[in-house]
Amino acid sequence: MVFAIGVDIGGTKVAIALVDQQGEISEQTKIPTDTSIDPKQMIEKIIESIEKLISAADISITEILGIGIGSPGPLNSKAGIITHPPNLPNWRDIPIVEQMKAHFPIPIVLENDANAAAMAEKWLGAAQANQDFAYMTISTGIGAGLFADGKLLGGSRGNAGDIGHTVIDPAYGQCPCGQYGCLEYIASGTAIANRGSAIAGKQLTTQEVFALYQQGNKDITAYIEDVFRILGVACVSLINTFDPEKIVLGGGVSKVGEPLFAKVKEYVSSYALNPAGRQTEIVPAQLDQNAGVVGAAGLILGE
């Protein structure tokens, strides 16, 4: 049997897994993302964790086809460089693939984390039967992975699908990126916690904001209903631009479930430009928990 290593780099943790050709995780580990140290030191910690994982599985490096890395963007996947991720503030122009190749004599691939999760949904999840689909993650931030004609759409540097910084409603104020009214600034998990806290007058988590919504809090309900509408706007933009068969919604915010999906479907059925586009399937992701590491491994195994 052969395997791939999947690495999912996040703002708070790095997940690492040994994945077989069926997409099953044989061994996995997680380590904290330490942004207080030099990124090269953090990558050395990732390398050490990979070596320990291989040792724990009692396999040879010759049984591993390669290492797939999913990372927040912006990045340059072709050059193997993480360039400017907002939630990794000291990671600037980091040649992660070059550093890891010095330790592992196997192929190493870098991709945007939303692309990696889209790969997982195509390989094993909600989009197995689809050649044209979009995967949108609504979590700490918002991003999308895009498949067209059965192939992952990466763009010139691997950043295609960064829809979180599409301007939706400037009235919501200035996003940290500098634009006004970005999708991510309005409807991400981070935004919901921040704006919900401001509305309630006390510090709340995203889950606590949704709890108030479910309890019928008037002011919170008005905001969350607008979040659902805006996510519908984002889906219509994806449909009008890429003409997908299906949109897969993942990430923590999607866990609110039917209220979100019902509102998004209602908006899409009313406003997608092409009447056929109004019938686009909007479905939940199937691999949320491990989509990042499985998808990253899929960048290798999918080839």
Side-chain angles (χ1 to χ4, degrees):
M1 183 177 288
V2 294
F3 302 87
I5 298 285
V7 179
D8 182 26
I9 299 174
T12 58
K13 67 180 184 299
V14 179
I16 304 163
L18 182 70
V19 181
D20 67 22
Q21 288 170 298
Q22 284 70 50
E24 296 292 329
I25 292 176
S26 299
E27 298 281 346
Q28 64 180 321
T29 188
K30 293 178 183 177
I31 59 174
T33 304
D34 188 349
T35 55
S36 70
I37 62 176
D38 185 86
K40 291 183 179 179
Q41 291 178 271
M42 186 63 220
I43 294 167
E44 287 298 323
K45 288 178 179 284
I46 295 170
I47 289 166
E48 289 171 15
S49 295
I50 292 172
E51 290 172 338
K52 288 178 182 176
L53 208 67
I54 295 169
S55 177
D58 194 25
I59 61 172
S60 163
I61 192 71
T62 59
E63 296 175 79
I64 299 174
L65 293 178
I67 300 171
I69 306 166
S71 167
L75 47 72
N76 187 327
S77 60
K78 293 179 174 62
I81 296 171
I82 298 173
T83 57
H84 203 89
N87 59 348
L88 295 172
N90 61 333
W91 289 53
R92 297 293 178 261
D93 298 318
I94 304 301
I96 185 170
V97 169
E98 179 184 334
Q99 185 174 346
M100 292 184 72
K101 278 187 173 179
H103 292 265
F104 302 107
I106 53 179
I108 300 174
V109 176
L110 173 69
E111 269 293 355
N112 182 285
D113 51 5
N115 287 350
M119 172 64 79
E121 292 296 329
K122 172 61 177 167
W123 183 20
L124 299 164
Q128 292 179 65
N130 303 106
Q131 297 300 298
D132 296 87
F133 76 94
Y135 167 86
M136 181 161 70
T137 178
I138 316 161
S139 188
T140 305
I142 296 178
L146 307 166
F147 266 77
D149 294 328
K151 296 179 181 179
L152 187 64
L153 182 62
S156 62
R157 289 171 292 274
N159 296 302
D162 196 356
I163 60 165
H165 295 282
T166 300
V167 172
I168 300 289
D169 187 348
Y172 270 91
Q174 189 173 23
C175 175
C177 80
Q179 296 194 102
Y180 285 79
C182 287
L183 173 63
E184 183 172 297
Y185 187 64
I186 302 168
S188 66
T190 305
I192 290 167
N194 290 341
R195 200 168 297 273
S197 297
I199 292 169
K202 59 182 179 180
Q203 195 65 40
L204 298 172
T205 65
T206 308
Q207 290 81 3
E208 288 168 340
V209 174
F210 277 120
L212 289 175
Y213 165 72
Q214 288 159 351
Q215 292 162 18
N217 179 288
K218 183 179 177 181
D219 293 332
I220 292 290
T221 295
Y223 166 57
I224 294 299
E225 291 288 333
D226 204 40
V227 165
F228 294 162
R229 178 188 67 84
I230 283 167
L231 291 171
V233 172
C235 287
V236 165
S237 295
L238 285 171
I239 292 165
N240 289 350
T241 306
F242 296 103
D243 195 24
E245 306 163 79
K246 178 183 286 182
I247 295 177
V248 181
L249 299 182
V253 171
S254 71
K255 297 300 184 186
V256 72
E258 185 56 27
L260 182 154
F261 282 87
K263 290 291 184 181
V264 168
K265 289 175 183 177
E266 179 183 351
Y267 193 93
V268 166
S269 68
S270 299
Y271 296 109
L273 185 62
N274 187 331
R278 296 175 188 176
Q279 307 303 314
T280 303
E281 290 184 81
I282 313 291
V283 303
Q286 291 181 6
L287 294 169
D288 265 354
Q289 186 175 3
N290 293 315
V293 286
V294 171
L299 297 169
I300 299 293
L301 294 168
E303 294 296 320

PDB file of all heavy atoms in Angstrom, residues 21 24 37 43 62 66 94 126 131 135 137-138 153 167 178 181 205 214 223 228 264-265 291-292:
ATOM      1  N   GLN A  21      -4.699   5.381  -0.177  1.00  0.00           N
ATOM      2  CA  GLN A  21      -5.296   5.640  -1.488  1.00  0.00           C
ATOM      3  C   GLN A  21      -6.818   5.657  -1.464  1.00  0.00           C
ATOM      4  O   GLN A  21      -7.445   6.142  -2.404  1.00  0.00           O
ATOM      5  CB  GLN A  21      -4.815   4.590  -2.494  1.00  0.00           C
ATOM      6  CG  GLN A  21      -3.360   4.762  -2.889  1.00  0.00           C
ATOM      7  CD  GLN A  21      -2.843   3.583  -3.691  1.00  0.00           C
ATOM      8  OE1 GLN A  21      -2.798   2.462  -3.210  1.00  0.00           O
ATOM      9  NE2 GLN A  21      -2.464   3.847  -4.936  1.00  0.00           N
ATOM     10  N   GLU A  24      -8.446   7.083   3.602  1.00  0.00           N
ATOM     11  CA  GLU A  24      -8.520   6.785   5.032  1.00  0.00           C
ATOM     12  C   GLU A  24      -7.274   7.315   5.736  1.00  0.00           C
ATOM     13  O   GLU A  24      -6.153   7.181   5.220  1.00  0.00           O
ATOM     14  CB  GLU A  24      -8.639   5.281   5.260  1.00  0.00           C
ATOM     15  CG  GLU A  24      -9.913   4.657   4.701  1.00  0.00           C
ATOM     16  CD  GLU A  24     -11.157   5.098   5.446  1.00  0.00           C
ATOM     17  OE1 GLU A  24     -11.052   5.376   6.670  1.00  0.00           O
ATOM     18  OE2 GLU A  24     -12.224   5.190   4.820  1.00  0.00           O
ATOM     19  N   ILE A  37       7.281  32.612  16.736  1.00  0.00           N
ATOM     20  CA  ILE A  37       8.606  32.216  16.281  1.00  0.00           C
ATOM     21  C   ILE A  37       8.736  32.446  14.781  1.00  0.00           C
ATOM     22  O   ILE A  37       7.741  32.663  14.083  1.00  0.00           O
ATOM     23  CB  ILE A  37       8.906  30.736  16.619  1.00  0.00           C
ATOM     24  CG1 ILE A  37       7.912  29.798  15.910  1.00  0.00           C
ATOM     25  CG2 ILE A  37       8.884  30.520  18.120  1.00  0.00           C
ATOM     26  CD1 ILE A  37       8.213  28.322  16.109  1.00  0.00           C
ATOM     27  N   ILE A  43       8.106  25.676  10.479  1.00  0.00           N
ATOM     28  CA  ILE A  43       8.144  24.633   9.443  1.00  0.00           C
ATOM     29  C   ILE A  43       9.012  23.465   9.904  1.00  0.00           C
ATOM     30  O   ILE A  43       8.703  22.300   9.626  1.00  0.00           O
ATOM     31  CB  ILE A  43       8.632  25.222   8.103  1.00  0.00           C
ATOM     32  CG1 ILE A  43       7.595  26.229   7.583  1.00  0.00           C
ATOM     33  CG2 ILE A  43       8.844  24.113   7.066  1.00  0.00           C
ATOM     34  CD1 ILE A  43       8.096  27.092   6.437  1.00  0.00           C
ATOM     35  N   THR A  62       9.777   5.319   1.055  1.00  0.00           N
ATOM     36  CA  THR A  62       9.500   4.864  -0.308  1.00  0.00           C
ATOM     37  C   THR A  62       8.030   4.498  -0.508  1.00  0.00           C
ATOM     38  O   THR A  62       7.568   4.370  -1.642  1.00  0.00           O
ATOM     39  CB  THR A  62      10.373   3.645  -0.668  1.00  0.00           C
ATOM     40  OG1 THR A  62      10.105   2.585   0.262  1.00  0.00           O
ATOM     41  CG2 THR A  62      11.848   3.993  -0.609  1.00  0.00           C
ATOM     42  N   GLY A  66       4.105  11.379  -1.775  1.00  0.00           N
ATOM     43  CA  GLY A  66       4.423  12.796  -1.710  1.00  0.00           C
ATOM     44  C   GLY A  66       3.747  13.457  -0.522  1.00  0.00           C
ATOM     45  O   GLY A  66       3.051  12.809   0.271  1.00  0.00           O
ATOM     46  N   ILE A  94       7.435  32.973   2.306  1.00  0.00           N
ATOM     47  CA  ILE A  94       8.109  31.830   2.930  1.00  0.00           C
ATOM     48  C   ILE A  94       8.179  30.662   1.942  1.00  0.00           C
ATOM     49  O   ILE A  94       7.143  30.118   1.547  1.00  0.00           O
ATOM     50  CB  ILE A  94       7.356  31.389   4.208  1.00  0.00           C
ATOM     51  CG1 ILE A  94       7.209  32.564   5.185  1.00  0.00           C
ATOM     52  CG2 ILE A  94       8.063  30.215   4.859  1.00  0.00           C
ATOM     53  CD1 ILE A  94       8.520  33.171   5.631  1.00  0.00           C
ATOM     54  N   ALA A 126     -19.073  15.412  -1.090  1.00  0.00           N
ATOM     55  CA  ALA A 126     -20.362  15.779  -1.668  1.00  0.00           C
ATOM     56  C   ALA A 126     -20.321  16.045  -3.162  1.00  0.00           C
ATOM     57  O   ALA A 126     -21.375  16.184  -3.786  1.00  0.00           O
ATOM     58  CB  ALA A 126     -20.894  17.022  -0.940  1.00  0.00           C
ATOM     59  N   GLN A 131     -18.374  17.467 -12.172  1.00  0.00           N
ATOM     60  CA  GLN A 131     -17.201  17.955 -12.891  1.00  0.00           C
ATOM     61  C   GLN A 131     -17.033  19.466 -12.727  1.00  0.00           C
ATOM     62  O   GLN A 131     -15.927  19.989 -12.849  1.00  0.00           O
ATOM     63  CB  GLN A 131     -17.322  17.614 -14.378  1.00  0.00           C
ATOM     64  CG  GLN A 131     -17.350  16.127 -14.675  1.00  0.00           C
ATOM     65  CD  GLN A 131     -16.094  15.420 -14.204  1.00  0.00           C
ATOM     66  OE1 GLN A 131     -14.992  15.711 -14.658  1.00  0.00           O
ATOM     67  NE2 GLN A 131     -16.255  14.498 -13.261  1.00  0.00           N
ATOM     68  N   TYR A 135     -16.673  24.809  -3.989  1.00  0.00           N
ATOM     69  CA  TYR A 135     -16.704  24.548  -2.548  1.00  0.00           C
ATOM     70  C   TYR A 135     -16.436  25.872  -1.849  1.00  0.00           C
ATOM     71  O   TYR A 135     -15.417  26.529  -2.114  1.00  0.00           O
ATOM     72  CB  TYR A 135     -15.640  23.519  -2.164  1.00  0.00           C
ATOM     73  CG  TYR A 135     -15.406  23.424  -0.660  1.00  0.00           C
ATOM     74  CD1 TYR A 135     -16.195  22.591   0.125  1.00  0.00           C
ATOM     75  CD2 TYR A 135     -14.424  24.186  -0.043  1.00  0.00           C
ATOM     76  CE1 TYR A 135     -15.993  22.520   1.495  1.00  0.00           C
ATOM     77  CE2 TYR A 135     -14.221  24.123   1.326  1.00  0.00           C
ATOM     78  CZ  TYR A 135     -15.003  23.287   2.085  1.00  0.00           C
ATOM     79  OH  TYR A 135     -14.813  23.227   3.445  1.00  0.00           O
ATOM     80  N   THR A 137     -15.963  27.634   1.840  1.00  0.00           N
ATOM     81  CA  THR A 137     -15.802  27.474   3.279  1.00  0.00           C
ATOM     82  C   THR A 137     -16.135  28.790   3.972  1.00  0.00           C
ATOM     83  O   THR A 137     -15.667  29.860   3.565  1.00  0.00           O
ATOM     84  CB  THR A 137     -14.375  27.007   3.643  1.00  0.00           C
ATOM     85  OG1 THR A 137     -14.264  26.904   5.061  1.00  0.00           O
ATOM     86  CG2 THR A 137     -13.309  27.955   3.113  1.00  0.00           C
ATOM     87  N   ILE A 138     -16.986  28.693   4.999  1.00  0.00           N
ATOM     88  CA  ILE A 138     -17.407  29.866   5.774  1.00  0.00           C
ATOM     89  C   ILE A 138     -16.959  29.602   7.203  1.00  0.00           C
ATOM     90  O   ILE A 138     -17.652  28.956   7.986  1.00  0.00           O
ATOM     91  CB  ILE A 138     -18.927  30.077   5.721  1.00  0.00           C
ATOM     92  CG1 ILE A 138     -19.438  29.900   4.294  1.00  0.00           C
ATOM     93  CG2 ILE A 138     -19.303  31.458   6.252  1.00  0.00           C
ATOM     94  CD1 ILE A 138     -20.935  29.626   4.218  1.00  0.00           C
ATOM     95  N   LEU A 153      -9.344  24.614 -10.451  1.00  0.00           N
ATOM     96  CA  LEU A 153      -9.015  25.899 -11.071  1.00  0.00           C
ATOM     97  C   LEU A 153      -8.153  26.694 -10.103  1.00  0.00           C
ATOM     98  O   LEU A 153      -8.640  27.184  -9.084  1.00  0.00           O
ATOM     99  CB  LEU A 153     -10.308  26.648 -11.408  1.00  0.00           C
ATOM    100  CG  LEU A 153     -10.179  27.991 -12.110  1.00  0.00           C
ATOM    101  CD1 LEU A 153      -9.529  27.833 -13.467  1.00  0.00           C
ATOM    102  CD2 LEU A 153     -11.558  28.637 -12.254  1.00  0.00           C
ATOM    103  N   VAL A 167     -16.340  42.580  -2.757  1.00  0.00           N
ATOM    104  CA  VAL A 167     -17.132  43.622  -2.092  1.00  0.00           C
ATOM    105  C   VAL A 167     -18.616  43.322  -2.292  1.00  0.00           C
ATOM    106  O   VAL A 167     -19.093  43.151  -3.408  1.00  0.00           O
ATOM    107  CB  VAL A 167     -16.785  45.018  -2.638  1.00  0.00           C
ATOM    108  CG1 VAL A 167     -17.743  46.069  -2.091  1.00  0.00           C
ATOM    109  CG2 VAL A 167     -15.345  45.368  -2.276  1.00  0.00           C
ATOM    110  N   GLY A 178      -8.574  46.610   3.481  1.00  0.00           N
ATOM    111  CA  GLY A 178      -8.595  47.977   2.975  1.00  0.00           C
ATOM    112  C   GLY A 178      -9.850  48.326   2.196  1.00  0.00           C
ATOM    113  O   GLY A 178     -10.223  49.503   2.103  1.00  0.00           O
ATOM    114  N   GLY A 181     -16.751  46.624   2.920  1.00  0.00           N
ATOM    115  CA  GLY A 181     -17.883  45.728   2.733  1.00  0.00           C
ATOM    116  C   GLY A 181     -17.570  44.381   2.136  1.00  0.00           C
ATOM    117  O   GLY A 181     -18.395  43.795   1.433  1.00  0.00           O
ATOM    118  N   THR A 205     -18.984  34.446  21.403  1.00  0.00           N
ATOM    119  CA  THR A 205     -18.405  33.607  20.357  1.00  0.00           C
ATOM    120  C   THR A 205     -19.414  33.495  19.213  1.00  0.00           C
ATOM    121  O   THR A 205     -20.586  33.858  19.363  1.00  0.00           O
ATOM    122  CB  THR A 205     -18.104  32.203  20.883  1.00  0.00           C
ATOM    123  OG1 THR A 205     -19.338  31.559  21.237  1.00  0.00           O
ATOM    124  CG2 THR A 205     -17.192  32.248  22.107  1.00  0.00           C
ATOM    125  N   GLN A 214     -31.178  31.679  17.518  1.00  0.00           N
ATOM    126  CA  GLN A 214     -32.140  30.575  17.664  1.00  0.00           C
ATOM    127  C   GLN A 214     -33.157  30.849  18.770  1.00  0.00           C
ATOM    128  O   GLN A 214     -34.268  30.328  18.739  1.00  0.00           O
ATOM    129  CB  GLN A 214     -31.380  29.268  17.908  1.00  0.00           C
ATOM    130  CG  GLN A 214     -30.663  28.775  16.647  1.00  0.00           C
ATOM    131  CD  GLN A 214     -29.525  27.823  16.924  1.00  0.00           C
ATOM    132  OE1 GLN A 214     -29.118  27.614  18.070  1.00  0.00           O
ATOM    133  NE2 GLN A 214     -28.978  27.230  15.865  1.00  0.00           N
ATOM    134  N   TYR A 223     -29.547  40.785  12.004  1.00  0.00           N
ATOM    135  CA  TYR A 223     -28.195  40.693  11.445  1.00  0.00           C
ATOM    136  C   TYR A 223     -27.945  39.332  10.798  1.00  0.00           C
ATOM    137  O   TYR A 223     -27.467  39.250   9.659  1.00  0.00           O
ATOM    138  CB  TYR A 223     -27.154  40.958  12.538  1.00  0.00           C
ATOM    139  CG  TYR A 223     -25.753  40.559  12.155  1.00  0.00           C
ATOM    140  CD1 TYR A 223     -25.141  41.085  11.013  1.00  0.00           C
ATOM    141  CD2 TYR A 223     -25.032  39.651  12.925  1.00  0.00           C
ATOM    142  CE1 TYR A 223     -23.857  40.703  10.650  1.00  0.00           C
ATOM    143  CE2 TYR A 223     -23.752  39.264  12.567  1.00  0.00           C
ATOM    144  CZ  TYR A 223     -23.165  39.793  11.431  1.00  0.00           C
ATOM    145  OH  TYR A 223     -21.900  39.406  11.074  1.00  0.00           O
ATOM    146  N   PHE A 228     -27.264  35.542   6.062  1.00  0.00           N
ATOM    147  CA  PHE A 228     -27.742  34.472   5.178  1.00  0.00           C
ATOM    148  C   PHE A 228     -28.016  35.019   3.776  1.00  0.00           C
ATOM    149  O   PHE A 228     -27.691  34.383   2.773  1.00  0.00           O
ATOM    150  CB  PHE A 228     -29.005  33.828   5.743  1.00  0.00           C
ATOM    151  CG  PHE A 228     -28.798  33.072   7.034  1.00  0.00           C
ATOM    152  CD1 PHE A 228     -29.876  32.754   7.837  1.00  0.00           C
ATOM    153  CD2 PHE A 228     -27.533  32.672   7.443  1.00  0.00           C
ATOM    154  CE1 PHE A 228     -29.709  32.045   9.014  1.00  0.00           C
ATOM    155  CE2 PHE A 228     -27.357  31.965   8.628  1.00  0.00           C
ATOM    156  CZ  PHE A 228     -28.440  31.657   9.422  1.00  0.00           C
ATOM    157  N   VAL A 264     -30.254  30.589   1.603  1.00  0.00           N
ATOM    158  CA  VAL A 264     -29.361  30.655   0.443  1.00  0.00           C
ATOM    159  C   VAL A 264     -30.059  30.090  -0.787  1.00  0.00           C
ATOM    160  O   VAL A 264     -30.015  30.681  -1.879  1.00  0.00           O
ATOM    161  CB  VAL A 264     -28.042  29.903   0.736  1.00  0.00           C
ATOM    162  CG1 VAL A 264     -27.236  29.721  -0.550  1.00  0.00           C
ATOM    163  CG2 VAL A 264     -27.212  30.672   1.764  1.00  0.00           C
ATOM    164  N   LYS A 265     -30.722  28.958  -0.634  1.00  0.00           N
ATOM    165  CA  LYS A 265     -31.435  28.352  -1.764  1.00  0.00           C
ATOM    166  C   LYS A 265     -32.545  29.279  -2.265  1.00  0.00           C
ATOM    167  O   LYS A 265     -32.764  29.416  -3.476  1.00  0.00           O
ATOM    168  CB  LYS A 265     -32.027  27.005  -1.346  1.00  0.00           C
ATOM    169  CG  LYS A 265     -30.993  25.922  -1.136  1.00  0.00           C
ATOM    170  CD  LYS A 265     -31.644  24.638  -0.607  1.00  0.00           C
ATOM    171  CE  LYS A 265     -30.612  23.570  -0.312  1.00  0.00           C
ATOM    172  NZ  LYS A 265     -31.224  22.348   0.265  1.00  0.00           N
ATOM    173  N   ALA A 291     -11.341  17.617   6.128  1.00  0.00           N
ATOM    174  CA  ALA A 291     -11.252  17.991   4.713  1.00  0.00           C
ATOM    175  C   ALA A 291      -9.890  18.568   4.363  1.00  0.00           C
ATOM    176  O   ALA A 291      -9.348  18.294   3.291  1.00  0.00           O
ATOM    177  CB  ALA A 291     -12.352  18.993   4.364  1.00  0.00           C
ATOM    178  N   GLY A 292      -9.306  19.353   5.261  1.00  0.00           N
ATOM    179  CA  GLY A 292      -8.037  20.009   4.963  1.00  0.00           C
ATOM    180  C   GLY A 292      -6.904  19.023   4.742  1.00  0.00           C
ATOM    181  O   GLY A 292      -6.223  19.065   3.717  1.00  0.00           O
TER     182      GLY A 292
END
